Amino acid sequence: GDVNLTSEVVSMKGHMAWMAGQPGAVIGLSQAAQRDPAAYPGQHAISSAQEARGHAMAGDAGAAERKLDDAMTHAQAADERRGEAPPWLYYHSPAFFDLQRGIVLGYFASQPRYHDLALAALEAGYAGLPPDEQQSEWGAGYLVHIAAIHERAGDVAQACAVALTAAGAARQTGSPRLLGMLAPLRARLAARWPADPDVAALRDALR
């Protein structure tokens, strides 16, 4: 009978769908997680941001931006009711929601407007994390998203520089997940810039 825990479980299933590359399931499960208005606003905030990610995966920029707006509205409401927050939402912060915004807009980063907005949101969000979180597996994963935006813009040097920082965190934490995120980025960079020395340095760092 715990509406917040029910929302969290359904939302996490949506997160698993995102990792599996299933936009329809991301959208549907995230919507289901928002269904009960009695849930704490922070639950709806993260599920709204996740639904935005699903719409972005499906290429619907308008729907993605609308759900990002919903996420920010819910996050503000949650901030006013912090005493009611479930303990599992300890990581929610303005920086976290900047990062969510950056991931969503990053799907459209081939367009200059979205590229700039996505990069600004991700960089601000990452800078707003405490140092220990920046160096964690969780925090360093956002560096991979930043590097991917530089890659889409054709900035190979910056993409590799950020990816190398993430690779260092992967080594420090021994994270297979982080290495798994970096592998396709490195492959794309190598395909576009096979002779670039920065790409070669990234390859060596990931061996």
Side-chain angles (χ1 to χ4, degrees):
D2 188 329
V3 64
N4 289 321
L5 187 55
T6 300
S7 177
E8 179 72 5
V9 169
V10 175
S11 186
M12 286 304 296
K13 288 184 176 181
H15 180 71
M16 292 170 66
W18 175 67
M19 291 193 296
Q22 300 169 343
V26 175
I27 294 167
L29 287 162
S30 300
Q31 288 174 343
Q34 299 168 63
R35 196 164 291 154
D36 194 327
Y40 176 66
Q43 294 290 163
H44 289 168
I46 185 57
S47 296
S48 293
Q50 186 169 271
E51 183 186 340
R53 207 180 297 180
H55 290 303
M57 294 169 74
D60 190 337
E65 290 200 76
R66 285 192 295 275
K67 288 310 297 183
L68 281 175
D69 289 343
D70 285 350
M72 295 307 107
T73 298
H74 290 307
Q76 289 170 3
D79 194 52
E80 296 169 2
R81 296 167 51 185
R82 282 179 182 241
E84 302 172 37
W88 53 81
L89 298 184
Y90 64 90
Y91 57 90
H92 281 196
S93 67
F96 172 77
F97 284 104
D98 279 340
L99 291 165
Q100 300 313 300
R101 182 175 183 80
I103 289 176
V104 171
L105 298 180
Y107 280 92
F108 309 105
S110 58
Q111 303 174 44
R113 170 179 174 266
Y114 285 113
H115 167 271
D116 295 345
L117 290 171
L119 191 58
L122 281 166
E123 289 182 338
Y126 184 76
L129 295 177
D132 59 329
E133 291 184 17
Q134 288 181 353
Q135 297 163 15
S136 69
E137 175 193 49
W138 174 76
Y142 293 107
L143 291 174
V144 183
H145 292 287
I146 294 173
I149 290 175
H150 287 302
E151 173 225 338
R152 288 173 201 147
D155 190 343
V156 60
Q158 195 61 27
C160 289
V162 176
L164 278 168
T165 302
R171 286 195 305 272
Q172 184 176 354
T173 60
S175 169
R177 174 180 172 271
L178 204 45
L179 290 172
M181 292 176 69
L182 283 161
L185 172 66
R186 188 208 64 79
R188 293 194 306 269
L189 290 167
R192 290 182 68 181
W193 298 281
D196 190 280
D198 291 330
V199 175
L202 179 60
R203 178 200 61 211
D204 293 343
L206 293 174
R207 282 179 173 167

